[in-house]
Each structure stands twice: as C-alpha cells, then as structure tokens.
Amino acid sequence: MLLAVCSRRPLLDAHLIRLSVRGLFSESGVWERDYKAETRRRVEQWWHGRIQEQWQRDAADQSSRKKFYVLSMFPYPSGRLHMGHVRVYTISDTISHFQRMRGHQVLNPMGWDAFGLPAENAAIERGLDPEDWTKSNIESMRKQLDSLGLCFNWDRPLLDALADLPEWYGVKSMQANWIGDCSGCFFNHIMKVDGRDSGEVLAAYTGSPEAVFGAAYVSVLPSHRLLHGSSALKTALLRALRPGRDSLTEVTALNVFTGREVPVVISSKKEFDGHLDTVMGIPDSSEEEAELAQSLGLSWISVLKTEQDGTQTLINSDEFTGQSRAEAFNSVTQKARERNAGGYLTSAKLRDWLISRQRYWGTPIPIVHCSACGPVPVPVEELPVTLPKVSSLSGKGASPLKTAQDWLRCQCPRCKGPAERETDTMDTFVDSSWYYFRYTDPQNPLRPFEHSRADHWMPVDVYIGGKEHAVMHLYYARFLSHFCRDQGMVSHREPFRKLLVQGLIKGQTFRVAETGQYLTKEDIDFSGPEPIQRDSGSRLQVTWEKMSKSKQNGLDPQEVLQQYGLDTMRLYLLYAAPPEQDILWDVKTDAIPGVLRWQARLWGLITKLRAAREGPETPNPSVLNKRERSEARKIWENKNYAITQVTGHFTEDFLFNAAISRLMGLTNTLSQASSRVVLHSVEFEEALASLCVMAAPMCPHLASELWAGLSQVRNPLGSVLLGKGSVLQQPWPSVDPEYLQTPDTLQLSVRINNKACGSVSVPREVAQDAQKVQELVLNSSLGARLLSERVIKKAILSPRTALINFLVDE
C-alpha cells in the first residue's frame, strides 16, 4: 500500500502544478478574468512563434491578390539593435499586417547594409575578417529581430521625377533644394594650344544657353583637374596662373555647337556657384561676366536686343536670330543635343558621383585593366566578381586587394593578354540604390532581377526610414531607378510611391557643465530641485539627445522587452508621437502607463462579454427598451466612426498615435455600456470584434488571445465572430453602408462643470473644431438656457468622444 501511494505522488504533484499555474484560454479553454504581468508574458510566449509561422504560411498563398510592397531601410549589422531600429520595424510590421488584413499580397523584406567602412574598421579593431564579423553580427541581429515578433519575408536576406512624388512630404523640398533648378546646360569645347587640338574636350556650364553665341571666354577654377593631372594643357595653364587674380591663358576653347573659339581664363575665385568648376562667360547675360571680359581686354558679340515692350530677342545668333529668349532657350538646347554638342538641362549644384573606395570590404568593380586595351568590362558570363580572402587588414595605404595576387592577376577578356583587376570597391550607396529591385526576385542567378517580377511589385508602396537619408540615398535610388527605366529593365520610373520618415528616439543626457562629461544616472544626485553630480556637487546640463552609449543615455530594446513586453513596446512607439516626430523617452511620465491601462481595459471588455453570455439569460435584442436601443445605436455609430478614422490613419497620414487614440475612445464607449446592452445587443458584440481586429496590427499577441476568447463566446448574435482563423487572418472591418447614408451629424454630450446637462446635434465635419462646436452649443436652445448668463472660463472638447465640457463660474 505504501508503494502504491508513493508511485502516485508525481501524478498528484503534476495535477497541483496545473491547478496553480492556469494556462491561457488558447491552451486550457478557461478565460482569466484580469490581464496581469504574468498573463501578458504567457500570451506573448504562446503567440510569438505562431504569428510568425502563420505569416510565412500565408505569404506562400497570395499570388492572386493585389500587391503591396512595404520596405524599411535596412540596418548596418553592428551586432545590436537600438530603439530606432525597433521603431522603424514596428511601423513597417504594423503596416504589413494591416495591408494583409485588407486582402493584399504583402512583401515586407529585410536585409543588411553589410558592406562598407564601419564594418571593415570594426573588424580591423578586433583583428577579425570583415566577412566573419559581419555574418556573426547578422546572425545575432536576426535573432533579436525575431525576438521582437516582427514578420518579415526573410526568404528575400540580401547581403549584398519630383513632380510624381506627391506624398514625400518635406523630403520633396529637401531634394529639390539639393538638386537645384535645372535651368542651364553644358556645351562641349575642343581645347587648343597654339591653334592645335590638344585632345581634351571640356564641358562648360551656362545658365543662359540661349545666349551661347555671345560667349567671351571659358573660365576654370584653380583646382580644376587640367591644372593638376597629366593633361597636355597643364603646362600652358600653370604658366599663365596668377594666384588670386583672373588669369588669361594661351589656351583656347572651340565651342562644338557655335563653331566659335574663345580664350580660357583661370578664375580668381576658389569656387563657383553650386559644384561647378567650368563656366562660360557670356557678357550679355551677366554684368559680372561683362566686367571680367572688359578687365581682360576681351571682345565679344552682342546677341540680345531689347524691344520696346521690354522683351529680349536674339541677334547675331545664326538660325536662332529673331527668336525670343524663351523660344531660343528651347530651340538652342534641343539643337545642341541633336548635334551631340551638349544642351542637356541640368543644375549648377549637381556633380559626378564618385563611387569608388580604396578599401577591401565592398562590392568589387567588374573592370580589368589591360596595358594594350585599357579598361575592359568583365564579361557578363563571369559575373559576379567575388572578394578574395586577404591575410590582413590595416585600413591604411593602398587597397588591400592589391595583395591578393592570385585574384588580382587575370586575363584580358578582349585580347587575352595579361591584365589586373580593379582594386577599388564600390561605395555602399551603390548597393542601397537598387536593393529594392533585387528583393522582388532575390533568387535569380542570371540577372539582377526579372523585368516581370520587378514590374509586379514596383513601385514600393511605402518606404520607411530616417530623414537623414532624404537627400543622398534617396536621390541615388531614384537615379538608378530612372536609369533602369531608360534601359528598358523596368516599367516604372520612380521607385517609391510614399515615403514615411520617422524621427529619432532621444534619451535624457546629463553633462557636467564645466567639462562636458556625460554622466550615468548612478553618478547623479536627484534629491534636490535640480540634479547635480553626486561626488562633486557640480551643476549639470540636462537635455535630450539621440540615444548613444557614449552619451550614457542608451536603452537596450531587450531590457524594455523584458520589463514591459512586446505589445507594450510596440504600442508605446506608435502612440508616443507621430512617426516623423522625435520621441523623448521617459517612462515615468509618458505613454507607457497609458498603453498598459488600455491593454488591461481591452482584456476586461472580453471578460465583460464572456461573463454576460455565460449567465442563465439567453441574449435577445428584441428585449431592449428605447433607451437601451439608443445606447446600442451610439455604440454602432462610434464603431463606424472609429473604422473610418483608423483606416484613414493607416492609409493616408500614418498617424498611428491618432489611430490608437480613436480605438481608446471606442474602448471607453464599450466600457460604459450597460449590462443589458452587453448581453442583448449585436452592436456591442460587433464593435468589440472590430476593436480587436483594428488593434491587431499594432499589438498582435494580445489581440490574438483576445480574439481567441471573443470568437468562442457563447450564444453569438452576429456572424462576425464565426470567421475562421486567428485575428490577423480576419478581414479588416468596413463601414456599414447605412452609416454612410445617415445624416452627417452626431449628438454631442454637453457637460457644465463636469455635470451632464444634455446633448446638441452638430455636423460631423466640425465635431473636432473646438471653436465651432462651442459656438453651436451656445447658439442652441440648451446653450441659451444654461450658459447665456454665465461666465465661461474654459471649454474642453474631448478628442476621443463626442463631448464638450464647459467650466463656468458658479
């Protein structure tokens, strides 16, 4: 008997353990009443892998759906994610879930900014191979991204016209300013010395191409390549150079378009406007250029005549004589292009893009150098050129690739003689300027991407990243896309339809005023009115700066994850500020307590409905009285209003903070519902279902468990709870047609000193305009009766519900 009791003891212990640690509803079928920290941990642990697995399964079966391509700027694989990474990828993950719930075939790829100087320098510091260092970091960061519950299309991990951009917000003007006005062009000139062709062709810029026949000189900067390289003109130019003065040289420039020859002047300036180093001097179009020509004793032909009405026409300009300046601008540049003499409109601000770097860790340039043939492209069938292993890296001196002799020495593809490979590598801006194409066809071994695959996915519907990349990276990406379109490789010219730029996450910094030293919080005394250095008592400079280890204000995402959980962190990042604004991280006073309470209230609504439906009374909408039907109608209106607003924020302005506020407002409405409306109304049930579905892209783990409890509630009244699958597999809710047909008004609750006093009907379109709402209330019969003779100190219009509160003198 003793042996029998002992043998049953482990079974008894296991049973007691199961009783003391209740599982989730998804595991046990038993709903926990409250959403506590331990519940949250179990919810996220249960749903974490399941959500990612479901995403991958659904991705394989969407070919017939309309596409949606959401792309985040990929991270440099430093080995650790920071909160800025978490913010941008939370945004892209939220948009991806939303678009898939709307029925789209979604592509949300992820890769790594793997090549480049930072990785090479980091590897040199540690005495490691850059490839080994980078792959190790990628593996670590991939695990970190997975731990955040982010759903990417990993089967796609790459190692390697402004008027058409209506939704690029402030970035559009930044690019326009950077590019400048394309109001001038270059003309080609044959350079001569002593009347003989030097073999040099020089392109000179003018902002007045219509007056090209009136050129008096061509001017170059003292820093121009012709004065510093191996040019045949170098000796003649240096012989004439007088530093700090405009120097007339014996070199002349024959304009290929006009056939007229003018002298070359070395400018006294250190730089011209924009990034130019060669300009044409046309006295008729510039007083400054006329003064310079006169000071050097140069003659020129007048080419502009002012008419009586003030307009100018061309003279002495061959076939263009008699044309207005505007007409000649177009006809001269067009004819120059036809003659291959220049004429392509451009900006004085633009310059050539130097893509080569004398470093090892980058994309090889597929060129070989032959003493007989010169530079020769590597044949297509031999691409790609891969990096060799090198014995050591120092980051100094010539390119390390020069030491890889077996790789360096090769055969010339053209003459089959001895040749050497190019040892410079490409700037990583080149890689990031076309990676969005490769994501559309990542396994293609024969070409960068297939035309049809790129056309299917492009353009990117939403591109998400930091505003610091608004000029260079985005301009290069647009340039490559335009080039591919011109080459017939793709059909779309612009690569990105919408651009969503997100601000920084900043932490508080404390610096010793005298030394500028950054302090950790452990080194600070916060007991007084102002923080001071603990040891010295020195006063501190307190400010907000981008999070950084060196500034002692960094924050490890894993620590936040451990303390608050996945969904809380996601909701905080979405709720704390609009995407383009900076977030000032301060967990004591900001949005974290608010989103924690909201999650608990969402859980409580499911508890409320399940408790009502598990009672003895069967739900029956017909038993509701007039007041209760009016209450249910208000819930129905708030549900449809929330769907309208939240959908708009997800598709138009990406104000996820406003979307969460609207969902909080709907939560308030449902929390205030009477017990009979909860039990008997289909409106409460459908509004709660819509609330869970709309919350799902932002807090997918919590919403998944909420839906599990909601979809299996007893005695459902509507069909919305009968759908199959998890919450992320439900269709996004749509506005009821009847709502769209109702009068465009709503009932606004009026309170006076926080006491309910009645309601007033106001047009829905002005319901968020505090001034207009106040006027409508004051002009109503209710306002005339209760407020006309009282002094109003303040009127507060609720941003979440249709309510205004007047604070008046008693």
Side-chain angles (χ1 to χ4, degrees):
M1 186 68 176
L2 179 62
L3 290 174
V5 170
C6 291
S7 66
R8 293 177 57 189
R9 182 60 188 247
L11 297 177
L12 180 62
D13 289 345
H15 176 67
L16 291 174
I17 290 172
R18 285 197 297 270
L19 289 177
S20 62
V21 184
R22 178 183 293 175
L24 296 175
F25 178 83
S26 297
E27 297 176 274
S28 65
V30 179
W31 183 261
E32 294 191 32
R33 179 177 179 83
D34 299 313
Y35 190 63
K36 301 176 181 177
E38 178 59 32
T39 311
R40 184 204 73 214
R41 283 190 285 270
R42 295 205 306 271
V43 164
E44 294 183 352
Q45 183 178 16
W46 174 267
W47 285 105
H48 178 265
R50 287 171 171 81
I51 290 173
Q52 292 180 320
E53 291 168 6
Q54 187 62 54
W55 173 273
Q56 300 302 333
R57 285 196 299 270
D58 290 347
D61 186 30
Q62 299 185 55
S63 57
S64 62
R65 299 182 178 188
K66 182 181 178 182
K67 73 92 180 179
F68 193 92
Y69 188 176
V70 56
L71 179 63
S72 306
M73 295 181 184
F74 52 18
Y76 158 63
S78 62
R80 298 295 298 175
L81 292 178
H82 55 66
M83 291 304 297
H85 290 133
V86 180
R87 188 183 190 190
V88 67
Y89 302 132
T90 295
I91 291 172
S92 69
D93 192 69
T94 298
I95 293 174
S96 298
H97 283 307
F98 164 73
Q99 291 295 344
R100 182 170 284 186
M101 295 169 79
R102 295 188 81 204
H104 286 102
Q105 177 190 16
V106 176
L107 175 59
N108 181 27
M110 175 50 65
W112 311 96
D113 189 9
F115 278 138
L117 197 58
E120 184 172 334
N121 286 341
I124 291 172
E125 290 174 8
R126 294 161 175 80
L128 300 174
D129 179 83
E131 182 176 1
D132 296 338
W133 160 255
T134 300
K135 287 183 176 179
S136 174
N137 287 347
I138 286 175
E139 182 179 359
S140 173
M141 292 179 72
R142 168 75 185 266
K143 292 178 180 177
Q144 293 173 59
L145 287 170
D146 285 341
S147 73
L148 296 174
L150 302 170
C151 294
F152 292 115
N153 296 99
W154 283 110
D155 58 326
R156 298 174 183 262
L158 299 176
L159 190 61
D160 339 314
L162 289 177
D164 298 324
L165 306 175
E167 299 183 71
W168 277 41
Y169 307 107
V171 172
K172 183 176 174 181
S173 61
M174 291 173 65
Q175 283 212 0
N177 291 332
W178 191 69
I179 296 170
D181 293 329
C182 294
S183 56
C185 70
F186 288 89
F187 287 95
N188 294 334
H189 294 77
I190 297 173
M191 308 302 289
K192 296 184 175 183
V193 181
D194 296 329
R196 294 191 299 272
D197 186 347
S198 68
E200 289 277 3
V201 176
L202 188 65
Y205 182 86
T206 176
S208 303
E210 72 281 4
V212 64
F213 287 87
Y217 60 88
V218 166
S219 182
V220 299
L221 291 176
S223 58
H224 196 283
R225 64 173 180 83
L226 293 179
L227 282 79
H228 299 278
S230 56
S231 168
L233 302 175
K234 180 177 179 180
T235 301
L237 292 172
L238 290 177
R239 187 163 52 241
L241 176 62
R242 301 292 182 268
R245 297 170 53 187
D246 294 306
S247 307
L248 183 63
T249 76
E250 60 191 274
V251 179
T252 58
L254 174 64
N255 190 308
V256 176
F257 178 68
T258 65
R260 300 183 179 182
E261 194 169 333
V262 295
V264 172
V265 174
I266 304 173
S267 177
S268 61
K269 297 180 178 180
K270 292 185 178 180
E271 60 182 28
F272 296 136
D273 290 339
H275 296 298
L276 300 171
D277 61 5
T278 310
V279 297
M280 298 177 65
I282 304 179
D284 276 13
S285 63
S286 166
E287 291 185 6
E288 181 184 3
E289 292 168 11
E291 291 174 359
L292 175 57
Q294 288 174 342
S295 68
L296 295 176
L298 302 179
S299 61
W300 67 89
I301 299 173
S302 182
V303 293
L304 295 177
K305 175 185 177 183
T306 303
E307 306 293 347
Q308 291 184 348
D309 60 2
T311 62
Q312 289 186 311
T313 57
L314 265 65
I315 59 176
N316 301 320
S317 299
D318 290 2
E319 63 194 273
F320 309 101
T321 296
Q323 294 183 5
S324 68
R325 289 193 72 170
E327 292 171 335
F329 183 96
N330 294 325
S331 56
V332 166
T333 53
Q334 179 180 345
K335 186 65 72 173
R337 293 193 294 270
E338 292 173 358
R339 296 180 184 174
N340 198 29
Y344 290 93
L345 294 183
T346 187
S347 163
K349 291 186 175 182
L350 293 183
R351 52 182 169 179
D352 289 341
W353 176 16
L354 179 64
I355 68 164
S356 61
R357 298 289 183 269
Q358 292 74 49
R359 300 300 294 250
Y360 166 72
W361 190 236
T363 304
I365 298 175
I367 295 289
V368 300
H369 297 277
C370 173
S371 58
C373 305
V376 180
V378 173
V380 172
E381 58 271 18
E382 295 181 16
L383 295 176
V385 177
T386 57
L387 284 176
K389 290 286 187 179
V390 295
S391 56
S392 63
L393 295 173
S394 67
K396 301 177 181 178
S399 169
L401 289 174
K402 290 184 180 295
T403 65
Q405 292 295 315
D406 292 342
W407 177 88
L408 178 68
R409 302 191 185 282
C410 62
Q411 188 181 67
C412 173
R414 186 173 298 161
C415 71
K416 310 305 179 186
E420 291 189 354
R421 296 188 186 278
E422 173 60 55
T423 57
D424 280 3
T425 54
M426 293 189 196
D427 178 7
T428 52
F429 273 124
V430 178
D431 305 319
S432 61
S433 66
W434 74 278
Y435 76 115
Y436 49 87
F437 283 132
R438 182 64 179 178
Y439 278 139
T440 68
D441 193 15
Q443 310 303 328
N444 195 326
L446 301 178
R447 50 179 56 90
F449 50 86
E450 190 68 45
H451 193 303
S452 60
R453 298 301 302 157
D455 279 357
H456 172 76
W457 286 108
M458 295 297 293
V460 173
D461 293 279
V462 181
Y463 193 28
I464 309 169
K467 204 167 187 176
E468 66 271 22
H469 302 296
V471 173
M472 296 182 69
H473 160 60
L474 286 174
Y475 182 75
Y476 298 146
R478 292 183 60 224
F479 170 79
L480 259 293
S481 184
H482 281 232
F483 170 78
C484 289
R485 166 64 154 62
D486 292 343
Q487 295 298 309
M489 299 173 69
V490 293
S491 298
H492 295 282
R493 184 172 296 278
E494 290 294 344
F496 312 121
R497 179 172 283 124
K498 288 186 179 182
L499 182 66
L500 175 56
V501 294
Q502 99 280 355
L504 301 173
I505 297 184
K506 294 182 176 180
Q508 213 167 19
T509 58
F510 303 87
R511 302 176 67 186
V512 180
E514 292 80 9
T515 65
Q517 176 191 1
Y518 287 96
L519 301 180
T520 65
K521 290 189 176 180
E522 289 73 22
D523 298 325
I524 302 170
D525 181 359
F526 291 97
S527 61
E530 294 184 359
I532 58 174
Q533 188 175 18
R534 187 179 300 278
D535 295 337
S536 67
S538 299
R539 63 186 184 89
L540 303 178
Q541 295 175 342
V542 183
T543 187
W544 295 91
E545 298 183 59
K546 181 180 178 180
M547 286 187 173
S548 167
K549 288 183 180 179
S550 63
K551 297 176 182 177
Q552 306 292 350
N553 69 339
L555 192 66
D556 187 344
Q558 295 300 318
E559 294 180 4
V560 181
L561 187 63
Q562 290 295 322
Q563 184 173 1
Y564 296 108
L566 278 171
D567 285 336
T568 303
M569 182 164 63
R570 289 171 65 103
L571 288 171
Y572 171 82
L573 293 171
L574 296 172
Y575 184 56
E580 71 276 8
Q581 293 183 11
D582 295 340
I583 291 179
L584 306 182
W585 188 279
D586 185 352
V587 294
K588 292 183 179 178
T589 60
D590 63 10
I592 281 187
V595 297
L596 283 169
R597 287 192 298 270
W598 184 48
Q599 293 173 85
R601 296 184 72 194
L602 288 172
W603 188 275
L605 289 175
I606 305 298
T607 301
K608 187 176 183 178
L609 179 62
R610 288 186 62 88
R613 295 292 173 84
E614 289 173 0
E617 191 174 359
T618 302
N620 181 2
S622 65
V623 305
L624 295 175
N625 60 35
K626 182 178 180 181
R627 181 187 61 78
E628 291 164 342
R629 289 197 299 272
S630 176
E631 182 184 340
R633 177 73 180 188
K634 186 175 181 180
I635 290 174
W636 177 84
E637 289 177 348
N638 272 328
K639 177 202 73 171
N640 282 286
Y641 182 57
I643 293 172
T644 301
Q645 293 292 305
V646 173
T647 304
H649 290 314
F650 268 84
T651 57
E652 296 170 12
D653 55 22
F654 303 110
L655 295 179
F656 302 109
N657 59 319
I660 293 174
S661 292
R662 177 48 48 203
L663 294 181
M664 288 178 172
L666 181 56
T667 304
N668 290 341
T669 300
L670 295 177
S671 298
Q672 296 164 8
S674 62
S675 58
R676 281 173 53 81
V677 168
V678 174
L679 173 61
H680 294 297
S681 78
V682 69
E683 289 86 355
F684 182 93
E685 182 180 290
E686 291 182 345
L688 182 53
S690 296
L691 176 59
C692 290
V693 170
M694 288 190 286
M698 297 180 283
C699 50
H701 308 84
L702 171 62
S704 294
E705 187 65 16
L706 294 177
W707 186 259
L710 179 60
S711 62
Q712 297 183 51
V713 72
R714 289 178 57 190
N715 302 315
L717 292 171
S719 60
V720 69
L721 298 184
L722 302 179
K724 296 181 179 179
S726 68
V727 68
L728 291 170
Q729 293 176 292
Q730 304 306 306
W732 187 259
S734 57
V735 176
D736 295 317
E738 182 186 349
Y739 177 79
L740 299 175
Q741 298 168 6
T742 57
D744 200 17
T745 60
L746 54 80
Q747 288 300 117
L748 180 82
S749 298
V750 179
R751 293 185 181 182
I752 299 177
N753 290 342
N754 299 314
K755 296 180 181 179
C757 299
S759 63
V760 172
S761 179
V762 299
R764 193 178 299 275
E765 63 187 24
V766 300
Q768 293 296 314
D769 188 321
Q771 184 63 37
K772 291 183 178 179
V773 168
Q774 181 175 343
E775 292 174 1
L776 289 169
V777 173
L778 293 176
N779 292 329
S780 69
S781 59
L782 181 146
R785 178 165 49 88
L786 299 177
L787 293 168
S788 60
E789 297 182 2
R790 307 183 77 169
V791 177
I792 300 173
K793 295 188 292 185
K794 191 174 185 181
I796 304 170
L797 181 66
S798 170
R800 298 179 184 171
T801 59
L803 181 148
I804 189 169
N805 186 19
F806 290 91
L807 303 180
V808 302
D809 289 336
E810 294 290 353

